[in-house]
Amino acid sequence: MNARLRHLSRRTALMGERAPTFYDDPLIAVRAEGVWIYDEAGRKHLDAYNNVPHVGHSHPAVTEAVHQQLRRLNVHSRYVSPVVLDYLERLLALFDDPIEQAALTASGSEANDLALRMAMVATGRTGIIALDAAYHGNTALTAAVSPRRTPVGGYPANVRLVPSPDNLNPLGGKPEAQPEAFAEGVRTAIRDLEAAGHGCAAMILCPIFANEGLQSQPPGFLDAAAKALQDADALLICDEVQAGFGRTGTHMWGHRAIGVAPDIVTLGKPMGNGWPIAGVVTSREVMEAFQREHRHFSTFAATPPAAAAGTAVLDVMEREDLMGNARRTGHHLRARLAALPHESIAQVRAAGLFVGVDLVRDGMNAGTIAREVVEGCRRRGVLIGRGGRDDHILKIRPPMPFNSGNADFVAAALDEALTEAGA
Amino acid sequence: MNARLRHLSRRTALMGERAPTFYDDPLIAVRAEGVWIYDEAGRKHLDAYNNVPHVGHSHPAVTEAVHQQLRRLNVHSRYVSPVVLDYLERLLALFDDPIEQAALTASGSEANDLALRMAMVATGRTGIIALDAAYHGNTALTAAVSPRRTPVGGYPANVRLVPSPDNLNPLGGKPEAQPEAFAEGVRTAIRDLEAAGHGCAAMILCPIFANEGLQSQPPGFLDAAAKALQDADALLICDEVQAGFGRTGTHMWGHRAIGVAPDIVTLGKPMGNGWPIAGVVTSREVMEAFQREHRHFSTFAATPPAAAAGTAVLDVMEREDLMGNARRTGHHLRARLAALPHESIAQVRAAGLFVGVDLVRDGMNAGTIAREVVEGCRRRGVLIGRGGRDDHILKIRPPMPFNSGNADFVAAALDEALTEAGA
């Protein structure tokens, strides 16, 4: 058996036959740097998918910051660490009213689980509204608001799913009608939760609708829905795990780009460039209401190395102007993809360095073609993914130091892969 | 305002007024090494409480392993990383039948949340049995089996709590009666869950009953309860977050010390010496049943640096014979504490480097005295905690390189603190 097959066979034996991998021919990764991942044969692959290595794989500034902190101190937050306080101060300064306090966690799933529990305690209600193609995590509670797979034990009675905005097939039939149609879905869900006796605690959504296939919307889109929540005294939770930390190129947070003021924001993947750090930021009122009854504590969260990683990420973002780079490279990438001459490309959407490409054939969402195209890109050394309701939307979401040459490489690979797929 | 007050005031502003700390006078930590934590004034405090820095704070072998791996590669497990496979192989070799596969997570809470969901899927039932003084995590689902605080939304209908064993006031009135009395609680809970239509999916417990106040039990204790679960086709989940990785001094896992073969084991705190790594290990059958429907994936879990940290922990444990040290130092510490002449000490229990000291006055569990003693030790530069039903049991659970001199220091501080508390 060659080395490659041996790795795959060991993986099956150790992690189970269906432990998910990317690609028919999974990538055996041994090294990564910047926007490149190297396999065992030394071949390099352009990472046009991963948002955890936000400032680039193995960025020396983050690695060194973590290393130095690990040499000094790594304790949990029942001890007071000035390093952690410095980071929280810097992080919270990046938010607007009413957000002013933070509870860190070790994963985005934990952050969303905590945010939902905070909303339930703060409102005294249990009803939750989520979008019908969302993903918010893998705990029991967050899986219940990640409806693409049936949660263990079935969909709970206190969750209502509302139709996601869709830029190719807008709610209400046309783009102008979409905000009101979306808000009407929210109002119906609120009424329904109230009638069922749960009441409405919160709506949770990704402000750039990333897992819905990057259905990002213009400023004002959420105004009517947010008002409906306010009228019901319910909270708005923005999940910034994908949208945050400058990804959109124009704003630090997705909720700013769409112009809404959430009560709770959750953070995750890019926050520590690979150190497992995530968290919830919220108002003093929500935090107080929660802590009065529950005093959240998480052993692995809010540690000095987590803070060191988080601080280094913010430093590098500023020093290398990565938000500006996301805007510029994102524009370039979008233009290159929009110019590709393939009839199956129904729409190219971009929010900075996050691009969604709808593939449609004969009026049907083309999930099978998208699959072939992702595999075709992988064979050409370009790593992308896909998402959306029918897994028909190509998802391009590279580390933030992506440059225009990298974007050109993606466009060229995609062009070839689309041709190969007869698309 | 002096520096100390400024830190505490910033902490309140940033994390909320009730974000939990240890001690009336919280420790401002700036450096830690081995079994010592240093504060801002350079004063050193003996860490007799923390199990995350399992092989010692800032252990250079772990720090260096993480550093080198961070320089090379940090990707999630949808790519195949030989480093991760090597670690899983080594980890799984430490378990007996039927355990042979692993799903890593980023925290013990996530591990227990996943284990409970796996049990529900594998059995097709939703009922869970937990102990009435347990703690298994801070997600919505794990909080429901951590009954010392009311879960958000109240205790769910599918959870039954059974009385914990207690070595000072044994179930059934005497030590010999305790195993059968415990098993009878389990049988009643199973019947009750079945009658309510939930059925019984699993019982979850810590095999050294750590949060119950270290109510560790002799081999065979769980046999009757385990048989009741087997008869109901329900699973046994052992939470080894506190008991595991040689803590007891005699066995790598708490479930081996008590002589039971769990279907699922969860791992956490000590696993990566501070890198956030945790996980579930189980049989191929349970993993397959779960993956057929759910394909667990966790971005921050099963990464190369997590594996590097985990591997380094196992290396150091072997090289420094830390399990042997836990046994030897644990015996010494226990003997020193048992010899202390204080009438409020009702019992001293030890399982390697995990010691519980019941404080009782006038026949009542003495939570207030325990509180004073913990504070008295902290003033003397010795960090311990407390737990148990009435927070009356001193909890001493230091990093594994604790030596007999450290143990003597704990005993001396405890002696003084007990005297000071009039105990």
Side-chain angles (χ1 to χ4, degrees), chain A residues 10-11 14-15 18 27 29 32 50 72 77 79-80 86 102 107 110 113 117 138 140 150 291 294 297, chain B residues 10-11 14-15 18 27 29 32 50 72 77 79-80 86 102 107 110 113 117 138 140 150 291 294 297:
Chain A
R10 287 172 72 206
R11 189 176 191 277
L14 296 164
M15 298 172 69
R18 292 164 191 249
L27 188 66
N50 287 293
R72 266 186 90 69
S77 67
Y79 307 102
V80 179
D86 291 346
S107 77
E110 285 192 343
D113 195 292
R117 294 167 71 221
N138 57 27
T150 308
Q291 288 185 342
H294 292 281
F297 171 74
Chain B
R10 287 172 73 205
R11 189 175 191 278
L14 296 164
M15 299 172 67
R18 293 164 192 251
L27 188 66
N50 286 293
R72 265 186 91 68
S77 66
Y79 308 103
V80 178
D86 291 346
S107 76
E110 286 193 342
D113 196 291
R117 295 167 71 223
N138 57 28
T150 308
Q291 288 184 342
H294 292 281
F297 171 74

Side-chain angles (χ1 to χ4, degrees), chain A residues 122-197:
Chain A
T123 61
R125 300 176 219 124
T126 58
I128 302 289
I129 301 172
L131 270 58
D132 64 357
Y135 176 80
H136 296 291
N138 57 27
T139 65
L141 179 56
T142 57
V145 292
S146 302
R148 297 187 66 203
R149 285 175 189 274
T150 308
V152 173
Y155 291 98
N158 62 326
V159 173
R160 292 294 176 279
L161 303 175
V162 298
S164 160
D166 186 316
N167 284 302
L168 203 55
N169 300 293
L171 302 175
K174 50 187 181 181
E176 317 81 271
Q178 193 158 235
E180 173 53 25
F182 179 74
E184 187 50 32
V186 174
R187 286 188 289 261
T188 303
I190 292 171
R191 278 193 303 268
D192 201 32
L193 285 169
E194 288 173 346

Side-chain angles (χ1 to χ4, degrees), chain A residues 6-8 10-23 26-33 37 40 47 49-50 52-53 57-58 63-64 66-67 69-82 84-89 92 100-103 106-110 113 116-117 120-121 126 135 138-141 143 149-153 268-270 273-278 284 287-288 290-300 302 305 383, chain B residues 6-8 10-23 26-33 37 40 47 49-50 52-53 57-58 63-64 66-67 69-82 84-89 92 100-103 106-110 113 117 120-121 126 135 138-141 143 149-153 268-270 273-278 284 287-288 290-300 302 305 383:
Chain A
R6 198 171 63 241
H7 290 316
L8 295 176
R10 287 172 72 206
R11 189 176 191 277
T12 298
L14 296 164
M15 298 172 69
E17 202 166 346
R18 292 164 191 249
T21 52
F22 282 143
Y23 313 118
L27 188 66
I28 317 270
V30 299
R31 188 163 75 79
E33 193 176 349
I37 302 179
E40 283 200 306
D47 185 354
Y49 184 77
N50 287 293
V52 173
H57 287 277
S58 314
T63 300
E64 233 7 80
V66 168
H67 180 215
Q69 189 58 56
L70 284 175
R71 291 178 57 173
R72 266 186 90 69
L73 181 72
N74 183 8
V75 292
H76 60 64
S77 67
R78 277 176 169 144
Y79 307 102
V80 179
S81 160
V84 173
L85 299 178
D86 291 346
Y87 174 62
L88 292 180
E89 202 156 78
L92 287 162
E100 54 178 315
Q101 295 189 336
S107 77
S109 292
E110 285 192 343
D113 195 292
L116 294 169
R117 294 167 71 221
M120 291 184 195
V121 173
T126 58
Y135 176 80
N138 57 27
T139 65
L141 179 56
R149 285 175 189 274
T150 308
V152 173
K269 292 187 171 59
N273 216 51
W275 183 279
I277 174 175
R284 182 185 300 257
M287 188 69 85
E288 270 180 6
F290 187 71
Q291 288 185 342
R292 255 195 307 275
E293 293 179 48
H294 292 281
R295 299 199 191 187
H296 174 260
F297 171 74
S298 169
T299 304
F300 287 160
L383 308 176
Chain B
R6 198 171 63 241
H7 289 316
L8 295 175
R10 287 172 73 205
R11 189 175 191 278
T12 297
L14 296 164
M15 299 172 67
E17 201 165 349
R18 293 164 192 251
T21 52
F22 282 143
Y23 313 118
L27 188 66
I28 317 271
V30 298
R31 188 163 75 79
E33 194 176 348
I37 302 179
E40 283 201 306
D47 185 354
Y49 183 76
N50 286 293
V52 173
H57 287 277
S58 314
T63 300
E64 231 10 77
V66 168
H67 180 215
Q69 189 57 55
L70 284 175
R71 291 178 57 173
R72 265 186 91 68
L73 181 73
N74 182 8
V75 291
H76 60 65
S77 66
R78 277 175 168 144
Y79 308 103
V80 178
S81 161
V84 173
L85 299 179
D86 291 346
Y87 175 62
L88 292 181
E89 203 156 77
L92 287 162
E100 54 177 315
Q101 295 190 335
S107 76
S109 292
E110 286 193 342
D113 196 291
R117 295 167 71 223
M120 290 183 195
V121 174
T126 58
Y135 176 80
N138 57 28
T139 64
L141 178 56
R149 284 176 189 274
T150 308
V152 173
K269 291 186 171 58
N273 216 53
W275 182 280
I277 176 176
R284 182 184 300 255
M287 187 69 85
E288 270 180 7
F290 187 71
Q291 288 184 342
R292 255 195 307 276
E293 293 180 47
H294 292 281
R295 299 197 192 188
H296 174 260
F297 171 74
S298 169
T299 304
F300 286 159
L383 308 176

